[in-house]
Amino acid sequence: MSKYCMWVLLAASFLFLSACFAAPSNQLSQQQNNKRDNSTVIEPQTRAQWKQIIQWPDACDEGVSDISFSKHFKGFWVHPWSQGRRLVQVVCTRGTYNLGVIFYLETEKASNQFTLLVFPQFISAGSAESMIAKVLSGQLGTAPYYQFQRPLVWGSILTDMSGDTITNENRYRGAGGCGILTSYQIVEGQPQVASLRIKEDCTEAWLAPELWPLIKKSDYASWPLVVLEEEE
């Protein structure tokens, strides 16, 4: 056999052995990368773990201190949102019929960075009289309801992940036959009102919230915008 043929055979053998040893090494490297990626995304399991990430105000914990010791009290919900993000709903206070909650939306998938959502809300003019700290627009006494904005949403919350919708039913009584039903969609990272229904009279026959009178956007957009004392 010529020297040239021997060199060809040796070169071919070297390439074959290199391929055999390289494959496991590449697979191991890929497995290590996958393990590293998975280890960086750890889903919190408790309220305390979520607070460590989001850092919501201590006042939110003080409002539920009387029930936080209960093993049945979870105090938060995590909803899947668009673009693989998470929407975290945190209970801050409670009443007879409703809960007071705040929401944090993840800025990017698996980023563990969250933005506090601020919700446009509505209150009857009569209920707001003793609570108004400042008028931002409009004139008091010209509308049956006023607008205000704050993170705390008081009511019974429903979430529709298929439509990226948050609906708040603020009931005036336990049966839920009257109150304010507000549906929100997240636009550019913050909630905007998608629809508004209000039934003021609680003495009338019970009516399902989705059948309450629908308020036109042209109407509620003209209502005075105020700051309530509890917001300052």
Side-chain angles (χ1 to χ4, degrees):
M1 180 181 297
S2 67
K3 292 183 177 180
Y4 174 78
C5 292
M6 291 180 64
W7 279 113
V8 169
L9 290 173
L10 287 172
S13 300
F14 176 78
L15 291 174
F16 175 77
L17 291 173
S18 298
C20 291
F21 285 103
S25 176
N26 290 339
Q27 292 174 1
L28 179 60
S29 177
Q30 184 62 43
Q31 290 172 355
Q32 289 174 339
N33 288 335
N34 291 341
K35 184 177 181 180
R36 188 181 301 112
D37 291 342
N38 291 336
S39 64
T40 59
V41 181
I42 301 175
E43 186 73 10
Q45 299 298 315
T46 67
R47 182 180 170 103
Q49 290 172 347
W50 272 114
K51 184 177 182 180
Q52 188 174 11
I53 293 174
I54 296 178
Q55 296 294 314
W56 60 72
D58 291 339
C60 185
D61 296 323
E62 294 168 2
V64 292
S65 59
D66 59 329
I67 54 175
S68 60
F69 61 84
S70 172
K71 65 178 181 181
H72 302 294
F73 177 74
K74 183 178 180 181
F76 72 94
W77 294 270
V78 181
H79 311 283
W81 206 252
S82 61
Q83 301 174 345
R85 296 172 296 171
R86 293 168 292 179
L87 178 71
V88 183
Q89 176 182 349
V90 185
V91 180
C92 292
T93 186
R94 62 170 184 159
T96 305
Y97 309 130
N98 302 310
L99 291 175
V101 302
I102 54 178
F103 286 88
Y104 290 87
L105 180 61
E106 195 169 24
T107 56
E108 295 180 1
K109 180 180 179 181
S111 68
N112 270 355
Q113 300 294 318
F114 291 83
T115 299
L116 177 65
L117 301 186
V118 179
F119 289 80
Q121 301 180 59
F122 305 90
I123 185 172
S124 67
S127 300
E129 284 182 359
S130 61
M131 301 170 57
I132 296 176
K134 187 186 303 181
V135 180
L136 299 179
S137 66
Q139 184 177 353
L140 300 184
T142 60
Y145 286 82
Y146 300 152
Q147 305 178 65
F148 67 99
Q149 297 187 4
R150 66 175 180 179
L152 184 72
V153 182
W154 185 260
S156 179
I157 310 298
L158 303 173
T159 53
D160 178 10
M161 299 303 104
S162 62
D164 286 349
T165 300
I166 300 172
T167 299
N168 179 38
E169 179 188 337
N170 187 354
R171 296 179 288 175
Y172 293 163
R173 63 180 184 182
C178 53
I180 301 176
L181 182 70
T182 314
S183 180
Y184 302 93
Q185 286 190 322
I186 308 299
V187 179
E188 296 182 354
Q190 285 294 338
Q192 291 189 8
V193 177
S195 67
L196 175 65
R197 293 179 180 272
I198 299 178
K199 185 172 182 293
E200 178 69 25
D201 194 341
C202 296
T203 64
E204 297 176 347
W206 186 90
L207 192 65
E210 60 269 20
L211 299 177
W212 292 352
L214 180 66
I215 310 300
K216 296 180 180 179
K217 183 177 181 179
S218 58
D219 289 337
Y220 67 73
S222 66
W223 293 345
L225 176 62
V226 302
V227 176
L228 301 182
E229 287 182 350
E230 59 189 58
E231 297 177 69
E232 290 199 320

